[in-house]
Amino acid sequence: MSEAAEAKARLLVVDDDSSHRAMLEAVLREEGYAVTSAAGGDEALAALEGDTCALVLLDIRMAGKSGLEVLEEIRRRLPGLPVVMMTAYASVETAVEALKIGARDYLSKPLDTTELKLTIARVLEHSRLETENRELRARLKEEFSFGRLVGASAAMANVIEILRRVAPTDATLLILGESGTGKELVANAVHENSPRSRAPFVAVNCAAIPETLLESELFGYEKGAFTGAVGRREGKIASAHGGTLFLDEVAEMTAALQAKMLRFLQEREIQPLGSSTSRVVDVRILAATNRDLEEEVRERRFREDLYYRLNVVPVRIPPLRKRKEDIALLAEHFFHAYREKHRGSVRSISPEALEVLVGHPWPGNVRELENTIERAVVLCRGDVLTAEDLFPGAPPPGAESEAADPYRPGLTLREAEGEIMRLALERAGGNKTLAAKNLGVSRQ
């Protein structure tokens, strides 16, 4: 905490020993703190009713209400107010009990004034960081988010504006972007902010289901429709009735399935395999792919008429390397989410760690960043997440230029060529066609 911040901090000292209380007041005022004192629990709670303070220094053994009873009441009334306990009867059991109730730290009498000052400064700094983190989360939610999407860059602001305008409608969206950019998250956000939000959101990964099964998964089937169809099964399209159907990796559909999907989009009717009757289904279609669908159409791998049916409102999610100003914001977002999920003790990300995150190329995009932050939160041993926690054994900031040099003593020409190709692939986000184009060589 800065000296200016410390000078404004008001502390409440609670101790029934008047001489000890006076000594604490003198020491803390000399440090620049404003100090209010109380001789017992009831007086302390009354003081907290009419005054704001940044920290409570609370004796455990007092006449009347004990320090632990006062601590419990403070936690109930002011859960965010940090409390440091002190007692002449130090014991592990008492310390554990106080910490379980919610004390931030524990000091034993007779107090070491140096330890007292360091402890109060540290607890106040942690409290300040927690307040800033809460404010950041609120700011993320209010200013830079749509659903669970996070971004303050011009590129993401444009995407979020399009999504805000299109979400309340029933328009079909075609979500484009590299792997890991968050296409399903976009689809979820659109559904959650649409009039269909109370109805099902059904996601189908067309690349994850064998092509021989994808049609039956989508359209369903009747008993006996094919070998193994021992009963009737409703398809994904029917199960999304009234809601949203998200077709991920839609370019992986076979030509025959593309034709059947086109007919569904035109008629809004499905006919399960083995059935002679059709059924009207009311669903909103969102589709996504990491392929260049225009190229797929030119190469006759994707139907042109289906492409235009899906491409009503195209939304392109930019890769993370093209919106570096979002990296720190996303990192903080994931940090707080996973610290809460895993109950981590780490309290903040160091500036050096943020610098490393911003400088990383992130070929795996937001998914890679999220996984990196979660791993670091789980493995971090200190209070602050460092660059070493993010990338153990990685070169320090500023060493990128050396690492980017493809030639190192001892490399053969073939090895150097391989290193150049690896770097080109990394910078192209894993896109082999783009990497080959940048190198001026064939994709093969």
Side-chain angles (χ1 to χ4, degrees), residues 4 24 60 134 152 195 203 212 250 296 312 326:
L24 289 173
I60 286 185
R134 284 194 298 270
T212 53
V250 69
E296 296 294 304
V312 177
D326 287 340

Side-chain angles (χ1 to χ4, degrees), residues 35 38 57 113 149 169 176 221 275 307 328 342 350 357 382 390 407 442:
V35 183
L57 188 60
T113 56
L149 296 175
T169 74
L176 305 167
Y221 54 83
S275 175
Y307 169 67
H342 298 298
S350 73
L357 290 171
L390 293 167
Y407 176 74
S442 71

